[in-house]
Amino acid sequence: MTLYRDTAVVLRTHKLGEADRIITMLTRHHGQVRAVAKGVRKTSSRLGGRLEPFMHVDLQFAVGRTLDIVTQAQTIDPFSRRLGGDYRAYTAGTVMLETAERVVPEDSEASLPQYQLLVGALRALTEQRQPPGQLLDSYQLRALSIAGYAPSFGRCARCGAPGPHRNFNAASGGILCDTCRVPGSAAPSAPTVSLLGALLAGDWEAVTTSDDRSRREATGIVNAYVAWHLERSLRSLAHVDR
């Protein structure tokens, strides 16, 4: 039996048979992994509570024919327990998990930056460093950037003309100058464009000083950009409490 270890964040679980579960997780060294956890739905299982969504765990796997098997699990950070009492943080976190699952394809190469970004975002949520909605918007912009879909909020995404510009188009990659503007482009306010750039860069001082209108508008643009590049809206977004 071939064994290996890795650390992971549990993204999703679903039932298998009478007592097992299939665990979908983002690992540090193996990208997105789906593995079987045998007997975890039994009340006597020692693994069950460690293999729930949001849990940050150290795992041992046995290589299987189709799916690997989780044989050991040790808790690193119980994010699920810390988020359970905060609905806004919890719902923002569920979108982060779904985003991570979509931007890192199964059986892809390891994506250490995506793993580190997700762990850092969940830790920031549990420590209440910033409002959950702003942490979510920043996480999604950064996750797409790591995946190769970095939006432009300064220079024109088409011709590279220096900004500021006021036309946003998800299909074109971000902000456009008036010359490159395409039909259907949004026209966010200048403060919103600045806020989007700050969310992408992690400039929390600038984010903190933004106004509510700009934050709402920025969230709409982030949602549109994510939906375009992931080719559909995220189901968990419907439950987010802003």
Side-chain angles (χ1 to χ4, degrees):
M1 182 181 295
T2 302
L3 303 175
Y4 66 95
R5 298 196 72 89
D6 207 341
T7 56
V9 175
V10 177
L11 304 179
R12 182 165 58 92
T13 70
H14 64 271
K15 296 178 181 178
L16 177 66
E18 295 183 357
D20 305 340
R21 279 199 178 106
I22 294 178
I23 314 297
T24 302
M25 59 205 106
L26 179 60
T27 69
R28 184 181 186 92
H29 299 296
H30 296 84
Q32 185 186 146
V33 171
R34 294 173 72 240
V36 176
K38 292 184 176 295
V40 294
R41 289 160 54 202
K42 296 180 179 178
T43 56
S44 59
S45 173
R46 297 182 178 181
L47 296 181
R50 301 171 186 173
L51 295 176
E52 295 293 333
F54 293 109
M55 293 296 286
H56 186 206
V57 285
D58 182 285
L59 301 171
Q60 178 176 278
F61 300 89
V63 177
R65 292 183 179 180
T66 54
L67 294 176
D68 294 345
I69 300 169
V70 177
T71 58
Q72 293 180 10
Q74 296 179 347
T75 301
I76 298 174
D77 212 330
F79 293 131
S80 60
R81 300 172 195 171
R82 300 180 183 180
L83 293 174
D86 186 337
Y87 184 76
R88 293 178 63 207
Y90 179 84
T91 54
T94 59
V95 180
M96 291 180 181
L97 298 187
E98 187 178 356
T99 302
E101 184 178 357
R102 294 295 307 281
V103 299
V104 182
E106 187 180 351
D107 298 325
S108 63
E109 296 182 358
S111 181
L112 179 59
Q114 291 285 9
Y115 168 83
Q116 292 176 324
L117 178 67
L118 180 60
V119 171
L122 293 176
R123 184 165 290 125
L125 270 180
T126 60
E127 295 176 356
Q128 301 180 341
R129 297 180 193 173
Q130 304 292 336
Q134 294 169 36
L135 287 170
L136 172 58
D137 289 343
S138 180
Y139 167 78
Q140 289 188 303
L141 289 175
R142 293 188 190 188
L144 285 177
S145 296
I146 294 171
Y149 307 117
S152 173
F153 297 121
R155 292 180 175 273
C156 174
R158 282 194 165 186
C159 70
H165 303 299
R166 289 283 306 280
N167 310 291
F168 176 83
N169 186 269
S172 299
I175 291 294
L176 303 174
C177 65
D178 290 338
T179 302
C180 295
R181 184 185 184 279
V182 296
S185 295
S189 66
T192 298
V193 176
S194 297
L195 173 57
L196 287 164
L199 288 167
L200 178 59
D203 182 356
W204 292 107
E205 183 176 352
V207 172
T208 301
T209 59
S210 62
D211 59 86
D212 289 340
R213 179 181 178 183
S214 297
R215 293 176 185 177
R216 288 193 298 270
E217 193 172 29
T219 293
I221 287 176
V222 172
N223 290 344
Y225 195 76
V226 171
W228 171 264
H229 286 287
L230 298 185
E231 299 182 349
R232 64 179 172 87
S233 297
L234 300 174
R235 290 173 296 178
S236 51
L237 268 177
H239 305 290
V240 173
D241 182 356
R242 295 282 182 175

